Structure formats: structure tokens, C-alpha cells
Amino acid sequence: MIRTASSIRTLVQSLRAISSFSQTGVGARNSYNSGAVSSLQQVIRPSTYGEDEYADVDWDNLGFGITPADYMYINQSTKDGEFHQGQLSRYGALELSPAAGVLNYGQGLYEGTKAYRKEDGRLLVFRPDQNALRMKMGADRICMPCPSVDQFVDAVKQVALANKRWTPPPGKGTMYIRPLLMGSGPIMGLAPAPEYTFLIYCSPVGNYFKGFAPLNLYVEDEFHRATRGGAGGVKSITNYAPVLKAIARAKGNGYSDVLYLDSVHKRYLEEVSSCNIFVLKGRVISTPAAIGTILQGVEERAVAVDELAEADEVFCTGTAVGVASVASITYQGKRLEYKVGAETVAQQLYSILEGIKSGAIEDKKGWVVEI
């Protein structure tokens, strides 16, 4: 989510030059400059399929689920915690000790990025260096060694290239790429694992939420997404199972997802289960500040739940969801509705951001990596 949220911040500041969005007069604070992306090392393509050949997939009915591609990438650390040369292998099951740190103590992180196919067949990946930096931050938090930024980006490129035939045609979806870092070595007492595995697998996907209809969110005031001092600010695997009950309850009542409040005051917005939240009122877009309980994005200010009643638009951003308009939010039995449709700020941001990611709009930010 960090790349999408910070990209939204930068787009809001610079859209005057590239779209009619400036007519809305929307303002935002802060800026972001993307760093350089490492170069791809020479990779021998393991696939025997033709350059333009596609996998046998119904691209018109692609959901957000697992459709395993041909290859995954695996890199196991040495005893001293160093990662050297990883390798591609056929997608398949892993062999882990029952005493692996990830299985017993949840010592693991994951990331998510996407590969887009251009009209000319080339592949584009959006800001993978930022995924690498966030994984490094998370690894430091839960006492794991981590591949370098160059190793991470190179591995993402290898996986995308090796599985090119699984990347959907332009406009039909994307290749979702899932990097994982975990304590794979056996450990009995509560301590960091002695060995670690960095792996990446991928799957062609469609939209995260079913269809492209605007979201209907439910404000959760019983369960909390994270607490201060916890691991909510990193993509620890331990962050996600605790929200499953809240999600199941919300979806059982017809809502798209859950919007969580802070665990201290229970009145400030934090995030949706898998994405950041943005609130537009007049000329200002606000989003909750990243203070260790949510993944870093556009750092603005504390946004009280009461402010939802005055908002003109609400939308969510994230790697999986892109930019998704929110049609309604229900809080303590009251349903609040918001502007949606083609003329909204959210839709304009979605169109421009997806255009940059897919190569349809010139990338002037240095965000897109071509493979």
C-alpha cells in the first residue's frame, strides 16, 4: 500500500500538468521522490513457450484468486543470515520443519506488487524498490535478515519474465506478484529462527473487490486492526488473521469491507482491512497519519470518524485494490453516502494512476520499471 498511497499524494500535487483534475482545486501536503531502481541481471529464460503465447486462462472472467503460474523464486539464507544467489524453480509445495519459526511464532512478512502487459507485449512493474525498502523495515522490526533492494527487485523481474505467459492481456487484469520472507529454520524457544527463506510466487488476477462497483464499508468499533507499539506499521503475517472475524461479519451483512478505528480513543480512522482510506472535503484530501499502526502512505493528520458525515468523497488505495471509490459507510447504525462516478476525484486518480502503471500514460515520475 505504501507505493499506491504515496503515489496518490504525488499525483494530487502534480495533476495540474497532466489532466483536467486541477479544475477541482484539490490540494494536498508533502511530496515523494522515487529512488533509482536496480538493473536487471542477465537471466536465462526457463520457459520454452513463445514470446507471444498466453496461458490457457479465461481472461474475461478473472477473479482475485490463486491461479498458479509456472515458476517461483527461492533464496535461502546462510547460517550467518546472508542472502546470496537465489534461483527459479517450478511452482510447488515447500518443505518446512514443524519447528520453523514462521509456523510457531509467526516470524514472517509479505509484500505485493503487480506486473502489467503493454500493448506491445512488454511488461511493466510499479515501484518494486519501495516494496524492497518496506520489507527491509519490516524485517528489522521482527528480527530477520533481508535481501538487498537490488536482490529483491532482480528477483521480482525474474519471476515476472519467467511467467510472462500468465500476465493477462492489456485491460484484462494483472500479474499479482507475492514476495515472502520467513523464518524457515527450526526453533523451540521464543527467539529468531536460525535460517530464513525469501521466495516469490505469482498469479494472474482481476479486480480485488468483485466487479468495479463502489464499496460499502462498515465501521468496526469492537475489533481493532492494530495497536500502538505493535506490528501494524509493517506487513507482518501476524496482522491479518485477527481481522478475519470482523471481515466475515461485515460481509455477512452485505458490506464490502471493514473500516477500523484507533484502539486508544476509538474515534480516529485507521485503515480498511487491506488498503488505506482517503477523505475528500472541499479542496483538501485527508488520510490518517502513519504512526506505527498502519502501513505508511500519505501522512496527513488524525481524521476523526465524525468527519465522515461532512465528506464529499471517500476512496481507498492499495496494491490489490488500486483506487476504489466508497459509496457508503455505516457507523453505529447510520449510513453515510458519498459521491461516486466518472466525475469524481477518485475516478480521475484511478484512471491516471492505472494509465501510468500500464504504460498508457507517460511515466514522468520514474515509478515504472520495464522488463
Side-chain angles (χ1 to χ4, degrees):
M1 290 184 279
I2 181 173
R3 291 139 26 271
T4 302
S6 61
S7 301
I8 289 295
R9 175 181 61 201
T10 307
L11 284 180
V12 167
Q13 292 179 324
S14 60
L15 282 180
R16 182 179 301 276
I18 57 177
S19 80
S20 60
F21 176 84
S22 60
Q23 296 175 1
T24 66
V26 174
R29 296 184 292 276
N30 299 329
S31 62
Y32 171 82
N33 291 317
S34 176
V37 180
S38 62
S39 60
L40 176 63
Q41 300 174 2
Q42 187 67 28
V43 177
I44 299 176
R45 200 185 295 248
S47 177
T48 59
Y49 297 97
E51 175 72 17
D52 298 322
E53 186 172 349
Y54 282 99
D56 184 15
V57 175
D58 182 1
W59 304 114
D60 292 320
N61 293 290
L62 195 59
F64 197 91
I66 295 294
T67 305
D70 295 320
Y71 296 94
M72 61 183 186
Y73 173 94
I74 298 180
N75 190 343
Q76 293 184 311
S77 74
T78 60
K79 294 289 186 179
D80 59 1
E82 294 294 323
F83 287 94
H84 295 296
Q85 186 64 43
Q87 63 182 6
L88 292 167
S89 63
R90 298 293 300 190
Y91 179 93
L94 301 175
E95 183 174 327
L96 283 176
S97 165
V102 67
L103 298 180
N104 290 265
Y105 300 116
Q107 195 183 23
L109 297 165
Y110 82 87
E111 280 294 328
T113 189
K114 290 179 177 180
Y116 290 73
R117 187 188 291 268
K118 295 183 67 176
E119 292 291 346
D120 61 9
R122 290 178 294 172
L123 300 183
L124 302 176
V125 180
F126 188 68
R127 303 180 74 183
D129 57 326
Q130 297 302 301
N131 289 98
L133 290 170
R134 185 171 62 183
M135 178 168 277
K136 176 63 168 64
M137 179 182 69
D140 289 344
R141 174 64 178 82
I142 58 177
C143 300
M144 296 196 294
C146 187
S148 69
V149 171
D150 285 353
Q151 287 175 318
F152 183 104
V153 174
D154 178 67
V156 167
K157 291 178 176 180
Q158 288 190 46
V159 168
L161 193 61
N163 294 295
K164 183 175 181 179
R165 76 191 192 100
W166 293 91
T167 305
K172 299 291 186 179
T174 58
M175 172 67 79
Y176 187 87
I177 300 172
R178 171 61 61 83
L180 291 165
L181 179 63
M182 60 185 175
S184 51
I187 189 78
M188 182 59 74
L190 180 56
E195 298 174 11
Y196 296 86
T197 298
F198 172 59
L199 67 89
I200 306 178
Y201 68 91
C202 57
S203 173
V205 298
N207 195 42
Y208 182 79
F209 292 106
K210 190 174 182 180
F212 289 91
L215 309 181
N216 295 294
L217 303 180
Y218 174 80
V219 176
E220 177 60 64
D221 53 9
E222 177 183 358
F223 299 111
H224 297 287
R225 179 71 174 76
T227 59
R228 294 187 184 183
V234 300
K235 287 188 74 69
S236 169
I237 63 174
T238 57
N239 292 342
Y240 296 89
V243 303
L244 295 179
K245 187 176 184 68
I247 294 173
R249 184 166 66 181
K251 291 189 175 181
N253 289 318
Y255 299 103
S256 307
D257 209 332
V258 176
L259 174 58
Y260 299 90
L261 302 179
D262 75 290
S263 61
V264 178
H265 305 286
K266 298 185 179 182
R267 65 180 297 258
Y268 296 106
L269 305 184
E270 290 238 315
E271 63 179 352
V272 182
S273 300
S274 59
C275 47
N276 295 101
I277 187 83
F278 290 78
V279 178
L280 170 63
K281 173 61 178 177
R283 299 170 61 87
V284 177
I285 292 178
S286 300
T287 195
I291 54 174
T293 57
I294 64 174
L295 296 177
Q296 185 178 2
V298 182
E299 186 169 342
E300 289 283 352
R301 61 179 179 83
V303 182
V305 65
D306 295 340
E307 295 182 48
L308 294 175
E310 304 298 325
D312 300 319
E313 282 186 49
V314 177
F315 58 92
C316 298
T317 71
T319 299
V321 306
V323 180
S325 292
V326 174
S328 74
I329 297 178
T330 300
Y331 176 51
Q332 296 183 339
K334 183 177 180 180
R335 180 185 172 99
L336 304 169
E337 297 186 350
Y338 306 101
K339 182 180 179 182
V340 297
E343 301 304 317
T344 60
V345 169
Q347 183 58 48
Q348 293 179 61
L349 287 170
Y350 170 84
S351 298
I352 294 170
L353 188 60
E354 289 301 303
I356 293 172
K357 289 179 179 180
S358 64
I361 293 176
E362 181 183 359
D363 172 27
K364 297 181 179 180
K365 309 291 182 183
W367 288 343
V368 174
V369 178
E370 185 175 310
I371 303 174

